[in-house]
Amino acid sequence: MNDLFLRACRREPVERTPIWIMRQAGRYLPEYRAVREKVDFVTLCKTPELAAEVTLQPIDRLNFDAAILFSDIMVPVEPMGFKVSFEPGPVIDRPVRTPDDIDRMRLSDPEEEVPFVYETIRILRQELADRVPLIGFGGAPFTLAAYLVEGRGSKNFEGIKRLIFADPGSAHRLLEKIAEATIRYLAAQVRAGAQALQLFDSWAGLLGRAEYEEFGLRHARRVLDGLRETGVPLIYFALNSSHLLHEIRHCGADVVGVDWRLPLNEASERLEHRFVLQGNLDPTVLFAPPEQVGRQAARVLDLASGLPGHIFNLGHGVLPGTPVESVQALVEAVRTTSARMSDGSG
Ligand code: CP3
């Protein structure tokens, strides 16, 4: 089995740097677009055979060192009592508007409410047959709350920020409910076979330090602490969080994902070298010619060379329209360059 990714998460020695990329199953792949021509995104998420098929597409074609479950961070909010559609970003039918809306939110058994997630994981473990490990994932409480209050994607997410400042008690109740539901949702992913978990905090960067500590970090930490007993490596990724890394030191994960805004060595300093880091090539580098891709990947590897551990990834998801050949060039560059660096001849 190729367990480079899991070994890197646990800070064990690796002969080269493992690589996977966020949104590796997606619209940049022609075979993904072919499946999407036949079914909409929600049907794809809810049909285990199809979700498993698209999860495997980037593994088969590009040889990544880990697979990530094909799903969405909004999947577990339906059992909490919300209707979600995608246009293409998530849209909530009746967003949270009053304290009553928070009281009405349900805490249910995810294995009963979203069985397709767990069935997809079981199929994947069988089909992967230990080729590479499978990562499960969910959204962090603040990021899910941002969508639940705003109702859809937004530049500033002023809805959740207003709630934090105007009615912090309700904000905490909302975040606590989401945290509890997320622990159940993700612990069940591990029971079904997920071998690592990533918590996505895509909107945490909208918060200043004090608010992040109270409303972002505290609830993300609650989720990660609640998942510790699953025994699998835990990854925390907050986009746009360079100003929050000092707080993120206390997140309770094993691995911290870093976006492209800070060099990895500096991010690690701010984190007091407590974590394996995951990242952080700017996804738009993949629109440059292959030799530039190789050069920029080598820069990231170089900056990561003194860290407690490194998993190569992009600084955020791969963009639709990215040439597949660039992703191929990236995987090859990371393999050869990191292998050369670790055998001492680089
Ligand atoms: O990484 C992977 O390959 C696994 C799949 C995955 C998806 N969404 C599939 C998806 C993962 C890990 C996510 C997480 C997710 N979803 C996040 C956190 C990561 C991030 O991007 O910050 C967020 C914020 C969402 C919410 C969401 N879902 C948005 C904003 C969108 C629109 C994205 C877009 O580019 O249009 C979605 C829909 C979505 N989720 C798509 C995919 C492949 C596009 C659907 C399609 O039209 O095929």
Side-chain angles (χ1 to χ4, degrees):
M1 150 149 180
N2 170 356
D3 64 348
L4 279 174
F5 165 78
L6 292 174
R7 279 192 275 143
C9 288
R10 296 192 214 104
R11 305 187 181 205
E12 292 165 14
V14 285
E15 51 282 11
R16 61 175 177 80
T17 305
I19 174 171
W20 69 278
I21 64 175
M22 292 183 278
R23 294 281 173 98
Q24 64 189 17
R27 283 167 292 183
Y28 76 106
L29 282 179
E31 55 270 38
Y32 175 83
R33 295 196 299 271
V35 173
R36 278 284 279 104
E37 267 172 33
K38 290 180 277 176
V39 294
D40 62 34
F41 176 65
V42 172
T43 307
L44 179 48
C45 289
K46 293 186 176 177
T47 312
E49 294 71 23
L50 290 178
E53 180 186 333
V54 298
T55 302
L56 294 173
Q57 286 173 347
I59 307 302
D60 292 339
R61 186 200 271 251
L62 294 155
N63 274 311
F64 289 111
D65 296 305
I68 181 162
L69 169 70
F70 188 84
S71 184
D72 196 83
I73 59 167
M74 300 308 287
V75 164
V77 310
E78 257 182 7
M80 295 181 215
F82 299 90
K83 262 197 71 144
V84 186
S85 53
F86 289 84
E87 308 178 2
V91 179
I92 311 288
D93 188 30
R94 291 185 52 223
V96 170
R97 283 289 132 80
T98 66
D100 276 354
D101 293 336
I102 298 170
D103 294 334
R104 266 200 297 276
M105 283 170 62
R106 291 187 290 123
L107 261 180
S108 52
D109 174 358
E111 280 156 317
E112 266 170 32
E113 301 268 347
V114 288
F116 51 87
V117 170
Y118 306 106
E119 183 56 21
T120 305
I121 292 173
R122 285 187 289 267
I123 294 173
L124 280 167
R125 281 301 304 276
Q126 205 154 34
E127 296 204 349
L128 282 165
D130 288 342
R131 243 190 312 165
V132 292
L134 177 65
I135 305 169
F137 73 92
F142 177 76
T143 289
L144 291 179
Y147 282 114
L148 290 184
V149 174
E150 198 73 31
R152 57 195 310 138
S154 151
K155 188 153 174 281
N156 300 314
F157 283 97
E158 48 264 43
I160 182 70
K161 294 189 75 179
R162 192 193 309 119
L163 188 67
I164 278 172
F165 290 113
D167 184 1
S170 292
H172 278 304
R173 264 190 320 119
L174 173 62
L175 291 160
E176 276 157 19
K177 275 196 153 172
I178 298 171
E180 183 53 41
T182 303
I183 292 170
R184 294 185 192 187
Y185 175 67
L186 291 178
Q189 287 192 17
V190 175
R191 287 197 295 277
Q195 291 155 291
L197 293 171
Q198 176 155 328
L199 200 61
F200 285 90
D201 215 346
S202 306
W203 306 115
L206 292 171
L207 295 170
R209 279 205 182 130
E211 290 72 37
Y212 174 68
E213 197 163 20
E214 186 177 346
F215 298 95
L217 180 69
R218 186 198 291 183
H219 297 278
R221 159 129 218 169
R222 162 94 190 87
V223 173
L224 292 165
D225 284 349
L227 292 167
R228 185 46 68 192
E229 65 183 39
T230 63
V232 302
L234 304 174
I235 309 169
Y236 176 65
F237 173 65
L239 183 66
N240 227 324
S241 63
S242 305
H243 62 303
L244 303 174
L245 288 174
H246 215 63
E247 285 64 36
I248 291 176
R249 273 181 310 157
H250 305 294
C251 70
D254 304 290
V255 180
V256 168
V258 179
D259 75 21
W260 66 91
R261 292 173 175 86
L262 268 191
L264 284 179
N265 57 336
E266 199 176 327
S268 190
E269 262 169 49
R270 292 192 197 181
L271 291 162
E272 292 176 342
H273 308 294
R274 294 187 194 190
F275 301 91
V276 171
L277 296 192
Q278 177 173 280
N280 73 342
L281 187 73
D282 187 327
T284 55
V285 166
L286 296 171
F287 291 103
E291 51 295 359
Q292 287 300 330
V293 172
R295 192 167 308 151
Q296 295 293 332
R299 270 189 62 206
V300 171
L301 288 168
D302 202 39
L303 291 165
S305 60
L307 304 186
H310 181 216
I311 297 158
F312 202 103
N313 207 309
L314 302 179
H316 197 195
V318 61
L319 295 161
T322 298
V324 180
E325 308 73 58
S326 299
V327 182
Q328 183 82 58
L330 173 66
V331 173
E332 276 161 24
V334 170
R335 274 170 194 263
T336 52
T337 307
S338 68
R340 201 168 53 226
M341 286 167 74
S342 70
D343 77 8
S345 63

